[in-house]
Amino acid sequence: MTIAVDGPAASGKGTIARALAQHFGLSHLDTGAIYRAVALEALRAGVPLDDAGALAGLAHHLDLTLLEDPALRDPETAEAASLVSQHPGVRAALLEFQRSFATRAGGAVLDGRDIGTVILPDATAKLFVTATPEVRARRRLLELEARGHRADFDGVLALIRLRDRRDSERAAAPLVKAPDAILLDTTDLDREEAIRRAIERVSVALCNAAQGRAGRAPPPAGHFV
C-alpha cells in the first residue's frame, strides 16, 4: 500500500501525510527533507547552488544523518532546497531512494511535489493538498516565529509565491496535481478537520483499490472548499 501526498509549500501536506501514516500504520517519508539535506550539505561545503554536477554528486551520496539536523527547517535551507530541486540530475539521483522507501514492507506514505506524478504514479491512493498563498504564508510565518526566526508576512508571502512559481514552472518534475489525485483545499480548514477529511477520502480510495477499482476516479466531492 502506498499513499502519495503532494502540494505546494505550507499547504499542510506534511502534517496530513504524518497523520495518514499513523492512522493506517505506514512508514512516512517527507521527501522535501532529502532535498533540504542535499541543500544543507551544499551550503556547508560551499558548493554553488547552480553547480548541477556537484549537487548531483551530493545527492548520489546522500548523508542520511542530515535528516535529523534542526537546520533543515531554517529558511535559508528551504530556499536553497528550492533551487537544488530544479536540477534534473539531483532529482534523478534521489528518485530511486524514494521509490525504495515506498516499497518497504508494510507500505508507506510519501509527501512532496511529484510523488503522485513521477515517484509513485501507481500509488494506491493520491492526495493533492493546497490552500491560498495568503493562508499558506500566515501558516509559515507562525512556524518561523515559533522557532525563533524573525519574519514579516509580506516577505513570507513573496517567498511562497516565488517557490510556487519555481515548483510549477521547472522543467524537471513540476508541481502538478495528478489526474487521479483527490484535491483537498485546506484554506478554510483547521488542522483537525483537514486531517479528518484526508483520512476519510483516502479511506474511500483505498477501499476502491482493494475492490479492484484502482483505475477509476474516487467518488465526487474530493475538492473541499
Side-chain angles (χ1 to χ4, degrees):
M1 178 193 300
T2 53
I3 300 175
V5 182
D6 289 307
S11 60
K13 66 180 180 296
T15 297
I16 287 172
R18 287 189 293 273
L20 288 171
Q22 182 177 15
H23 180 81
F24 293 107
L26 306 174
S27 300
H28 169 247
L29 176 64
D30 170 6
T31 65
I34 61 178
Y35 286 96
R36 287 192 292 271
V38 174
L40 181 58
E41 187 170 6
L43 290 173
R44 289 176 173 173
V47 175
L49 300 181
D50 60 354
D51 189 336
L55 292 171
L58 294 179
H60 273 293
H61 301 92
L62 181 64
D63 182 356
L64 295 179
T65 64
L66 291 175
L67 296 178
E68 305 300 325
D69 195 312
L72 281 189
R73 299 296 170 181
D74 287 349
E76 296 80 6
T77 308
E79 174 63 15
S82 177
L83 297 171
V84 166
S85 66
Q86 296 184 74
H87 297 296
V90 172
R91 305 197 72 85
L94 296 177
L95 185 146
E96 287 308 318
F97 176 84
Q98 296 170 78
R99 287 182 175 168
S100 176
F101 185 94
T103 58
R104 59 176 50 198
V109 179
L110 278 69
D111 73 83
R113 287 169 174 75
D114 63 344
I115 309 303
T117 54
V118 176
I119 306 302
L120 300 176
D122 297 320
T124 317
K126 300 178 185 179
L127 190 65
F128 191 90
V129 183
T130 190
T132 65
E134 292 76 14
V135 166
R136 290 187 284 124
R138 283 195 291 272
R139 292 172 181 169
R140 181 53 53 83
L141 182 61
L142 290 174
E143 288 178 10
L144 293 172
E145 291 176 343
R147 297 179 60 241
H149 294 288
R150 298 184 62 182
D152 65 273
F153 176 79
D154 289 339
V156 173
L157 178 59
L159 286 175
I160 286 284
R161 286 175 167 158
L162 175 61
R163 184 70 182 273
D164 287 351
R165 187 163 61 252
R166 284 178 184 162
D167 289 343
S168 60
E169 295 178 357
R170 68 188 180 212
L175 170 66
V176 62
K177 174 184 172 294
D180 54 345
I182 303 163
L183 180 62
L184 176 61
D185 190 327
T186 66
T187 298
D188 299 316
L189 304 179
D190 61 22
R191 180 182 183 277
E192 290 70 23
E193 181 63 12
I195 290 173
R196 186 191 69 79
R197 295 193 185 191
I199 291 174
E200 176 185 87
R201 304 317 297 173
V202 170
S203 295
V204 172
L206 294 175
C207 183
N208 285 347
Q211 295 174 5
R213 299 196 299 271
R216 294 174 56 183
H223 182 186
F224 296 97
V225 295

